[in-house]
Amino acid sequence: MVESLGSLSGTNWVYVIVGLSVVLDVFVPILPSGVLVITAATTAAGSGPAADVAASVHDGNHLAEMGSLVLCAATASVLGDLVAYRLAWRGGDRFDRAIGRSRRLSAAQQRLGAALTRGGGGIVVLARFAPAGRSVVSLGAGVAHRTVREFLPWSALAGLAWAAYSVSLGYFGGHWLGTSWVSTALSVVALFIAGSVAAYLMRRPQRETTAH
Protein backbone atom coordinates (compact mmCIF):
# COMPACT_ATOMS: atom_id res chain seq x y z
CA MET A 1 0.00 0.00 0.00
CA VAL A 2 2.87 2.36 0.83
CA GLU A 3 4.42 1.78 -2.59
CA SER A 4 1.09 2.23 -4.40
CA LEU A 5 0.33 5.56 -2.74
CA GLY A 6 3.95 6.57 -3.13
CA SER A 7 3.60 6.45 -6.89
CA LEU A 8 0.64 8.84 -6.63
CA SER A 9 2.28 11.19 -4.11
CA GLY A 10 2.03 14.80 -5.18
CA THR A 11 -0.98 14.17 -7.43
CA ASN A 12 -4.66 14.84 -6.85
CA TRP A 13 -5.39 11.11 -7.08
CA VAL A 14 -4.23 10.69 -3.49
CA TYR A 15 -6.99 13.02 -2.29
CA VAL A 16 -9.58 11.34 -4.51
CA ILE A 17 -8.74 7.88 -3.15
CA VAL A 18 -8.61 9.05 0.46
CA GLY A 19 -11.82 11.09 0.12
CA LEU A 20 -13.83 8.25 -1.42
CA SER A 21 -12.59 5.78 1.19
CA VAL A 22 -13.53 8.07 4.08
CA VAL A 23 -16.99 8.83 2.64
CA LEU A 24 -17.81 5.16 2.06
CA ASP A 25 -16.37 4.06 5.40
CA VAL A 26 -19.57 5.13 7.17
CA PHE A 27 -21.50 2.50 5.17
CA VAL A 28 -18.77 -0.16 5.05
CA PRO A 29 -16.81 0.24 8.32
CA ILE A 30 -14.31 -2.44 7.30
CA LEU A 31 -12.84 -0.09 4.69
CA PRO A 32 -9.35 0.94 5.85
CA SER A 33 -9.91 4.68 5.54
CA GLY A 34 -7.79 5.47 8.60
CA VAL A 35 -4.99 3.28 7.28
CA LEU A 36 -5.16 5.05 3.91
CA VAL A 37 -4.98 8.49 5.54
CA ILE A 38 -1.98 7.43 7.63
CA THR A 39 -0.25 5.81 4.64
CA ALA A 40 -0.76 8.90 2.48
CA ALA A 41 0.68 11.12 5.22
CA THR A 42 3.60 8.74 5.84
CA THR A 43 4.42 8.61 2.14
CA ALA A 44 4.32 12.39 1.78
CA ALA A 45 6.36 13.03 4.93
CA GLY A 46 9.01 10.44 4.12
CA SER A 47 9.54 11.44 0.50
CA GLY A 48 12.13 13.83 -0.78
CA PRO A 49 15.47 14.92 0.68
CA ALA A 50 15.89 14.66 4.43
CA ALA A 51 18.30 17.59 4.72
CA ASP A 52 19.75 19.89 2.03
CA VAL A 53 19.87 23.53 1.01
CA ALA A 54 16.16 23.50 0.26
CA ALA A 55 15.18 21.68 3.49
CA SER A 56 13.05 24.53 4.83
CA VAL A 57 11.15 24.79 1.55
CA HIS A 58 10.72 21.04 1.50
CA ASP A 59 9.33 21.07 5.06
CA GLY A 60 6.96 23.86 4.07
CA ASN A 61 5.69 21.76 1.18
CA HIS A 62 5.20 18.84 3.56
CA LEU A 63 3.16 20.94 5.96
CA ALA A 64 1.01 22.28 3.12
CA GLU A 65 0.42 18.74 1.89
CA MET A 66 -0.47 17.58 5.41
CA GLY A 67 -2.92 20.48 5.76
CA SER A 68 -4.57 19.56 2.46
CA LEU A 69 -4.81 15.94 3.53
CA VAL A 70 -6.43 16.90 6.86
CA LEU A 71 -8.93 19.12 5.04
CA CYS A 72 -9.70 16.38 2.50
CA ALA A 73 -10.23 13.66 5.13
CA ALA A 74 -12.25 15.90 7.47
CA THR A 75 -14.51 17.14 4.66
CA ALA A 76 -15.08 13.60 3.39
CA SER A 77 -15.86 12.45 6.93
CA VAL A 78 -18.55 15.10 7.39
CA LEU A 79 -19.99 14.44 3.92
CA GLY A 80 -20.27 10.71 4.62
CA ASP A 81 -21.87 11.41 7.99
CA LEU A 82 -24.47 13.69 6.43
CA VAL A 83 -25.33 11.20 3.68
CA ALA A 84 -25.85 8.42 6.24
CA TYR A 85 -27.80 10.81 8.49
CA ARG A 86 -30.17 11.84 5.68
CA LEU A 87 -30.70 8.26 4.50
CA ALA A 88 -31.53 7.15 8.02
CA TRP A 89 -33.85 10.16 8.46
CA ARG A 90 -35.85 9.24 5.37
CA GLY A 91 -35.87 5.49 6.00
CA GLY A 92 -36.23 5.84 9.74
CA ASP A 93 -38.56 2.91 10.36
CA ARG A 94 -36.39 0.46 8.45
CA PHE A 95 -33.19 1.61 10.15
CA ASP A 96 -34.94 1.75 13.51
CA ARG A 97 -35.98 -1.89 13.21
CA ALA A 98 -32.45 -2.88 12.21
CA ILE A 99 -30.97 -1.02 15.18
CA GLY A 100 -33.64 -2.44 17.49
CA ARG A 101 -32.47 -5.98 16.76
CA SER A 102 -29.14 -5.21 18.41
CA ARG A 103 -29.02 -4.42 22.12
CA ARG A 104 -25.66 -2.70 21.70
CA LEU A 105 -26.87 -0.48 18.86
CA SER A 106 -30.07 0.37 20.72
CA ALA A 107 -28.13 1.38 23.82
CA ALA A 108 -25.75 3.47 21.72
CA GLN A 109 -28.67 5.20 20.03
CA GLN A 110 -30.27 6.06 23.37
CA ARG A 111 -27.01 7.47 24.75
CA LEU A 112 -26.52 9.49 21.58
CA GLY A 113 -29.98 11.01 21.79
CA ALA A 114 -29.55 11.93 25.43
CA ALA A 115 -26.10 13.39 24.81
CA LEU A 116 -27.21 15.53 21.88
CA THR A 117 -30.27 16.76 23.77
CA ARG A 118 -28.21 18.07 26.68
CA GLY A 119 -25.49 19.43 24.42
CA GLY A 120 -23.02 16.70 25.26
CA GLY A 121 -22.24 15.80 21.69
CA GLY A 122 -18.69 14.88 22.64
CA ILE A 123 -19.89 11.30 22.19
CA VAL A 124 -19.96 12.01 18.45
CA VAL A 125 -16.25 12.85 18.60
CA LEU A 126 -15.46 9.70 20.60
CA ALA A 127 -17.49 7.57 18.23
CA ARG A 128 -15.45 8.82 15.26
CA PHE A 129 -12.43 7.00 16.67
CA ALA A 130 -14.26 3.86 17.86
CA PRO A 131 -14.66 0.93 15.45
CA ALA A 132 -17.99 1.35 13.57
CA GLY A 133 -18.90 4.12 16.03
CA ARG A 134 -19.26 6.66 13.26
CA SER A 135 -21.88 4.50 11.54
CA VAL A 136 -23.89 4.05 14.73
CA VAL A 137 -23.84 7.77 15.52
CA SER A 138 -24.72 9.01 12.03
CA LEU A 139 -27.49 6.48 11.44
CA GLY A 140 -28.75 6.85 15.01
CA ALA A 141 -28.99 10.63 14.72
CA GLY A 142 -30.99 10.26 11.52
CA VAL A 143 -33.34 7.62 12.90
CA ALA A 144 -33.95 9.76 16.00
CA HIS A 145 -34.64 12.78 13.75
CA ARG A 146 -32.06 14.93 15.49
CA THR A 147 -31.79 18.33 13.85
CA VAL A 148 -28.85 19.21 11.62
CA ARG A 149 -27.99 22.00 14.06
CA GLU A 150 -27.59 19.40 16.82
CA PHE A 151 -25.59 16.93 14.75
CA LEU A 152 -23.52 18.81 12.16
CA PRO A 153 -21.20 20.86 14.45
CA TRP A 154 -20.21 17.74 16.37
CA SER A 155 -19.75 15.77 13.17
CA ALA A 156 -17.45 18.51 11.84
CA LEU A 157 -15.44 18.57 15.07
CA ALA A 158 -15.21 14.77 15.07
CA GLY A 159 -14.07 14.65 11.46
CA LEU A 160 -11.45 17.33 12.02
CA ALA A 161 -10.11 15.71 15.21
CA TRP A 162 -9.91 12.27 13.58
CA ALA A 163 -8.29 13.59 10.40
CA ALA A 164 -5.75 15.72 12.29
CA TYR A 165 -4.82 12.81 14.56
CA SER A 166 -4.49 10.31 11.70
CA VAL A 167 -2.45 12.66 9.51
CA SER A 168 -0.21 13.60 12.45
CA LEU A 169 0.52 9.94 13.11
CA GLY A 170 1.50 9.40 9.49
CA TYR A 171 3.48 12.62 9.30
CA PHE A 172 5.62 12.05 12.38
CA GLY A 173 6.06 8.36 11.58
CA GLY A 174 7.25 9.16 8.06
CA HIS A 175 9.34 12.11 9.23
CA TRP A 176 11.20 10.12 11.90
CA LEU A 177 11.28 6.61 10.43
CA GLY A 178 10.96 7.29 6.72
CA THR A 179 8.60 5.69 4.21
CA SER A 180 8.44 2.10 5.35
CA TRP A 181 5.96 -0.49 6.52
CA VAL A 182 7.39 -0.15 10.04
CA SER A 183 6.44 3.53 10.38
CA THR A 184 3.02 2.88 8.85
CA ALA A 185 2.41 -0.12 11.13
CA LEU A 186 3.35 1.81 14.27
CA SER A 187 1.06 4.68 13.28
CA VAL A 188 -1.82 2.29 12.58
CA VAL A 189 -1.30 0.66 15.98
CA ALA A 190 -1.53 4.11 17.60
CA LEU A 191 -4.78 4.73 15.71
CA PHE A 192 -6.25 1.42 16.90
CA ILE A 193 -5.23 2.20 20.48
CA ALA A 194 -7.14 5.50 20.26
CA GLY A 195 -10.12 3.57 18.88
CA SER A 196 -10.02 1.09 21.74
CA VAL A 197 -9.88 3.89 24.31
CA ALA A 198 -12.79 5.67 22.62
CA ALA A 199 -14.85 2.47 22.58
CA TYR A 200 -14.16 1.95 26.29
CA LEU A 201 -15.17 5.51 27.15
CA MET A 202 -18.40 5.12 25.17
CA ARG A 203 -19.30 1.94 27.06
CA ARG A 204 -18.40 3.29 30.48
CA PRO A 205 -21.60 5.36 31.04
CA GLN A 206 -23.67 2.25 30.35
CA ARG A 207 -21.69 0.24 32.90
CA GLU A 208 -21.98 2.97 35.51
CA THR A 209 -25.73 3.20 34.94
CA THR A 210 -26.08 -0.58 35.25
CA ALA A 211 -24.05 -0.56 38.46
CA HIS A 212 -26.35 2.04 40.01
Side-chain angles (χ1 to χ4, degrees):
M1 186 183 292
V2 176
E3 291 78 7
S4 300
L5 283 181
S7 64
L8 298 176
S9 181
T11 70
N12 291 331
W13 282 109
V14 171
Y15 303 109
V16 172
I17 293 172
V18 168
L20 284 176
S21 175
V22 174
V23 168
L24 295 176
D25 183 67
V26 71
F27 301 104
V28 189
I30 60 173
L31 283 177
S33 61
V35 177
L36 280 176
V37 173
I38 287 175
T39 303
T42 301
T43 302
S47 63
D52 55 18
V53 178
S56 60
V57 175
H58 186 65
D59 288 342
N61 291 338
H62 276 173
L63 292 178
E65 197 166 353
M66 295 303 111
S68 299
L69 193 56
V70 169
L71 182 61
C72 171
T75 301
S77 178
V78 175
L79 180 60
D81 287 354
L82 287 178
V83 171
Y85 165 81
R86 291 304 302 177
L87 287 175
W89 180 293
R90 294 179 180 179
D93 292 340
R94 194 179 319 121
F95 282 104
D96 203 20
R97 287 195 296 271
I99 290 176
R101 286 194 288 268
S102 169
R103 180 179 300 178
R104 179 178 298 178
L105 293 181
S106 298
Q109 183 186 10
Q110 292 173 3
R111 291 199 302 275
L112 170 66
L116 291 176
T117 298
R118 62 175 181 267
I123 192 174
V124 178
V125 180
L126 280 177
R128 186 61 186 86
F129 289 84
R134 175 192 180 199
S135 303
V136 172
V137 164
S138 299
L139 295 173
V143 169
H145 285 190
R146 295 293 161 182
T147 65
V148 173
R149 186 169 56 184
E150 287 178 314
F151 176 66
L152 181 57
W154 291 106
S155 171
L157 179 59
L160 183 60
W162 173 82
Y165 180 71
S166 301
V167 170
S168 296
L169 289 177
Y171 172 76
F172 288 113
H175 193 70
W176 292 333
L177 300 175
T179 304
S180 67
W181 69 267
V182 175
S183 60
T184 301
L186 289 176
S187 299
V188 170
V189 168
L191 182 65
F192 280 126
I193 289 174
S196 299
V197 172
Y200 169 76
L201 292 175
M202 289 180 68
R203 289 194 300 267
R204 189 173 59 176
Q206 183 182 15
R207 289 175 178 174
E208 291 176 352
T209 300
T210 302
H212 289 301

